[in-house]
Amino acid sequence: MAGAVSALFLLDIKGRVLVWRDYRGDVTAIQAERFFTKLIEKEGDPQSQDPVVYDNGVTYMFVQHSNVYLMTAARQNCNAASLLSFLHRVVDVFKHYFEELEEESLRDNFVVVYELLDEMMDFGYPQYTEAKILSEFIKTDAYRMETTQRPPMAVTNAVSWRSEGIAYKKNEVFLDVVESVNILVNSNGQVIRSDVVGALKMRTYLSGMPECKLGLNDRVLLEAQGRTTKGKAIDLEDIKFHQCVRLARFENDRTISFIPPDGSFDLMTYRLSTQVKPLIWVEAQVERHSRSRVEIMVKARSQFKERSTATNVEIELPVPADASNPNIRTSMGSASYAPEHDALMWKIKSFPGGKEYMLRAEFNLPSIFYCFRNPGTTPYRNNQVRYLKVIEKSGYQALPWVRYITMAGEYELRLI
């Protein structure tokens, strides 16, 4: 079993203690000073950027948010990844309560902060970090109940992220498959780097304690079931699940089974190392009219099917810092010179598949960046949902809705 945390400190940007909670009695407030001294020493070493500091038998793990350091001190051998994840969850809880986690919000809410630290960690071991559940019995002054409340059942059972007794007239589940495409193309038109970062975002409005099962076109699962995977399966990498997912079940047979929280949450995130072609191809031709003026013709062509449409397309064309007197014409959308970015910004609100648009301007053009959003029917749709089942002991029928969204991540086409 991993070791326990001795204390948790909240420090300001200068290392002064705002709040600290002693869980085991084997450290003192002086640890904050020793930690900050070591942290300053680390800042001078560019090779050392890790969030762990060790000094004289005490291990410090920390994260920084705004002007606040959240730091744990431990004399035992702790699971660093688990504690760093816990600190990030503490940040989320404080933001849920105070909207912003800053030095001022902590000073104004000392009582609530101490109550939360007592509930989120017990004797140095992480406990409950679901903000919605905590807010049912730890209230801010504006919403504090006069009568004493019993802790919600979620705190005392195995499903700490969902309360019992939830009821809806209409049971629905909404699933968004959101994928950001990162791509780098050289001046010869070759894709030299590409990957897809995805997330399954859910909104659940389900009664009772439903069990949900989700099937994806995961290559490992399909091969284990003896199904053909040619052209349809994907290799998921860097998978991160919400705590509601039964990890043992997934590791055993790759089934994603879970009792969902109520409302919105990210079920999982992942990465795909796959070769993709640019959804929008951009070409540029440069004509020099004189030593000081050049005319550029830019063509933007969508390389996806006509039934799909990219929205809010922005193409950024870097120009020299001393560029002036632009003369710009476009066949679609609007373009303007942004001197603060040393770039020409071409915006197209709706870009259907199979279309080509042009822009003419008088600039130099080293490279191009662009972004877009493509809802509904996507041109890639790498991660496909094969099924989404909702099972609840009362036997009600739930309506599952699935939507695919492809977005631009880091998109760069080098033309020169």
Side-chain angles (χ1 to χ4, degrees), residues 183-193 275-276 278 281 412-414:
I183 193 167
L184 176 62
V185 180
N186 65 16
S187 58
N188 297 324
Q190 297 176 325
V191 177
I192 57 179
R193 178 179 63 83
Q275 288 292 326
V276 296
W281 185 257
E412 180 176 354
L413 277 69
R414 296 176 177 175

Side-chain angles (χ1 to χ4, degrees), residues 184-369:
L184 176 62
V185 180
N186 65 16
S187 58
N188 297 324
Q190 297 176 325
V191 177
I192 57 179
R193 178 179 63 83
S194 68
D195 63 12
V196 177
V197 177
L200 301 188
K201 297 179 176 292
M202 295 193 74
R203 286 177 294 138
T204 62
Y205 307 101
L206 300 172
S207 304
M209 300 290 282
E211 177 85 16
C212 297
K213 294 182 180 180
L214 181 68
L216 304 174
N217 57 329
D218 179 10
R219 186 184 304 277
V220 176
L221 173 61
L222 294 178
E223 290 179 349
Q225 295 176 342
R227 300 188 182 188
T228 178
T229 61
K230 185 177 179 180
K232 295 181 180 180
I234 57 173
D235 295 311
L236 297 172
E237 303 176 23
D238 299 338
I239 302 174
K240 180 182 177 182
F241 286 115
H242 187 276
Q243 64 174 327
C244 67
V245 175
R246 305 183 194 277
L247 295 181
R249 179 80 181 271
F250 180 78
E251 293 172 358
N252 183 47
D253 59 12
R254 305 290 284 192
T255 298
I256 302 176
S257 176
F258 57 98
I259 297 176
D262 187 45
S264 302
F265 68 102
D266 286 356
L267 178 66
M268 66 178 286
T269 59
Y270 58 89
R271 183 174 62 86
L272 301 173
S273 296
T274 181
Q275 288 292 326
V276 296
K277 68 177 182 179
L279 292 177
I280 298 177
W281 185 257
V282 180
E283 298 177 351
Q285 295 180 350
V286 181
E287 295 183 10
R288 293 187 177 274
H289 296 296
S290 67
R291 187 171 294 182
S292 60
R293 302 293 285 184
V294 293
E295 183 179 13
I296 299 172
M297 182 179 70
V298 180
K299 292 182 180 179
R301 182 176 67 255
S302 55
Q303 300 190 123
F304 46 87
K305 296 181 180 180
E306 294 182 1
R307 67 171 180 266
S308 298
T309 300
T311 60
N312 300 322
V313 176
E314 295 184 8
I315 302 175
E316 178 181 335
L317 302 101
V319 299
D322 57 353
S324 61
N325 300 322
N327 183 13
I328 309 166
R329 302 184 302 276
T330 66
S331 63
M332 178 61 68
S334 62
S336 60
Y337 174 49
E340 67 276 14
H341 300 298
D342 294 327
L344 181 70
M345 306 300 296
W346 184 11
K347 298 182 180 181
I348 304 174
K349 190 173 183 180
S350 178
F351 203 139
K355 296 291 185 180
E356 180 177 284
Y357 300 124
M358 295 181 58
L359 175 147
R360 290 181 179 271
E362 295 185 358
F363 284 116
N364 196 9
L365 189 64
S367 62
I368 287 179
F369 302 85

Side-chain angles (χ1 to χ4, degrees), residues 1 5 62 93 134 142 153 195 207 209 260 268 278 287 311 330 353-354 371 387:
M1 183 176 181
V5 168
F62 70 96
V93 170
L134 288 167
M153 288 297 294
D195 63 12
S207 304
M209 300 290 282
M268 66 178 286
E287 295 183 10
T311 60
T330 66
C371 63
Y387 62 83

